Amino acid sequence: MSSNSPKIGAHVSIRGGYGQAARFAWESGAGSFQYFPKNPRSLKLKPVDLRDAEACASFCREKGLVSIAHTPYPTNMAAGATREVMTASLLNDLEIAEACGSLGIVVHFGHFGGIEPLQGYQNIIQCMNETLQSWKGQAKLLIENQAGNHGREGITLEELVKVRELCHYPEKVGFCLDTCHAFAAGIWDPEHTDDLLRRGDVLGYWPQLTAVHLNDSRFPLGSRRDRHAPIGRGLIGEQGLRNLLTAKQLREAAVVMETEKGPDGSHRQEIAAVLSWYGTED
């Protein structure tokens, strides 16, 4: 795979370590991969294994692989009462991602629950400020759009762009676009992909796009239900995903699938299929 090839891959396990995760991704034909830097169900801090992380970083440099980390599921930047715990966990994730040579850490926009919306937005911005004020690394905080299954917050490009703009450190913040979430939230109709592309152009969203979660959807447009389907076997469909992913605005992003593994335990077949959308499989 040449350095100019689209960076297509999938989420992989770190059960054997970060270096092994990178090798597994490469052996499956990937040009990118995503991993959890620590236990995905806990915010407990994890010491950085510098030797293992450097094995990952050096292998990726050698092979031209790129990676992103995904913060644990309990992470919620809108939760003001536990902000100290959130910021410590996010910094821990950034430190691990930096050591592994990753582009950044993907974090969901945040869920308000019973919080007033204005307070929820303020909490998110404050959490970002407190996390990033001391961060000197290259890895970025990558805000992911939400499907709307927990509330209306975080589903629009406007919200993502605005919280980045209001953060004290916008240069340390980028975006991760989840295709299933965008479809489920109703902000992307595959029959009118140009509308989403134009809106992102006007807002200045695309230049800050670092990663894409390439997922089909089990539920209809605007359903606000977040259930991923294998590529081309959901209600978005192959053509819809292909039209969006191959648009010039998305060509530089690291693309990872969060779908079920194939019979061999990898996403080899899906990666090859997606690469064929660009007219190359090597």
Side-chain angles (χ1 to χ4, degrees):
M1 182 178 295
S2 74
S3 60
N4 294 324
S5 298
K7 301 298 186 182
I8 312 298
H11 188 97
V12 299
S13 170
I14 61 162
R15 187 173 294 113
Y18 305 119
Q20 181 58 38
R23 287 188 287 274
F24 179 83
W26 173 256
E27 289 165 2
S28 70
S32 65
F33 66 96
Q34 177 179 267
Y35 62 96
F36 286 117
K38 54 179 184 272
N39 185 339
R41 294 174 179 81
S42 172
L43 298 181
K44 182 180 179 181
L45 304 188
K46 179 179 179 179
V48 183
D49 185 335
L50 293 175
R51 183 174 180 178
D52 185 24
E54 176 53 30
C56 175
S58 61
F59 185 86
C60 289
R61 286 193 298 269
E62 176 189 345
K63 301 298 186 181
L65 269 171
V66 296
S67 67
I68 55 174
H70 195 301
T71 58
Y73 296 125
T75 307
N76 182 7
M77 297 194 295
T82 55
R83 185 177 302 137
E84 186 175 342
V85 173
M86 294 298 166
T87 57
S89 179
L90 287 167
L91 274 171
N92 184 219
D93 295 337
L94 282 167
E95 289 165 356
I96 294 171
E98 183 79 5
C100 288
S102 303
L103 299 175
I105 62 169
V106 177
V107 58
H108 294 168
F109 185 86
H111 303 302
F112 294 172
I115 304 172
E116 288 293 323
L118 181 58
Q119 186 63 57
Y121 291 120
Q122 290 175 337
N123 287 350
I124 290 169
I125 295 165
Q126 189 61 28
C127 182
M128 292 166 64
N129 286 340
E130 293 183 14
T131 298
L132 298 172
Q133 63 185 352
S134 62
W135 179 242
K136 305 300 182 186
Q138 298 300 306
K140 290 187 174 184
L141 194 70
L142 307 176
I143 310 173
E144 180 179 353
N145 60 303
Q146 294 176 170
N149 50 316
H150 293 292
R152 297 195 62 84
E153 61 271 14
I155 67 175
T156 67
L157 301 188
E158 286 82 354
E159 290 170 276
L160 278 68
V161 169
K162 182 54 70 173
V163 297
R164 178 182 181 274
E165 177 186 312
L166 294 175
C167 172
H168 291 163
Y169 312 97
E171 71 282 359
K172 301 179 184 181
V173 179
F175 301 125
C176 174
L177 178 73
D178 188 299
T179 56
C180 174
H181 295 180
F183 179 77
I187 69 163
W188 170 45
D189 180 348
E191 297 295 322
H192 303 284
T193 291
D194 285 347
D195 291 346
L196 179 67
L197 295 173
R198 280 193 295 268
R199 186 154 70 254
D201 286 337
V202 170
L203 293 168
Y205 173 85
W206 302 120
Q208 309 306 327
L209 184 72
T210 300
V212 173
H213 284 167
L214 182 65
N215 302 308
D216 213 321
S217 177
R218 296 187 185 276
F219 291 100
L221 173 69
S223 63
R224 291 172 61 179
R225 300 186 70 178
D226 178 17
R227 292 293 183 275
H228 300 172
I231 304 305
R233 290 161 55 190
L235 295 178
I236 299 174
E238 178 179 326
Q239 193 60 52
L241 290 167
R242 180 174 186 165
N243 289 345
L244 178 61
L245 192 65
T246 59
K248 64 180 181 180
Q249 291 92 331
L250 282 70
R251 287 298 292 259
E252 301 301 317
V255 179
V256 295
M257 289 173 262
E258 299 175 311
T259 54
E260 296 176 7
K261 297 174 183 175
D264 67 347
S266 79
H267 287 78
R268 180 184 308 277
Q269 292 181 346
E270 282 187 309
I271 291 168
V274 173
L275 283 171
S276 75
W277 298 352
Y278 301 86
T280 177
E281 293 186 30
D282 54 34

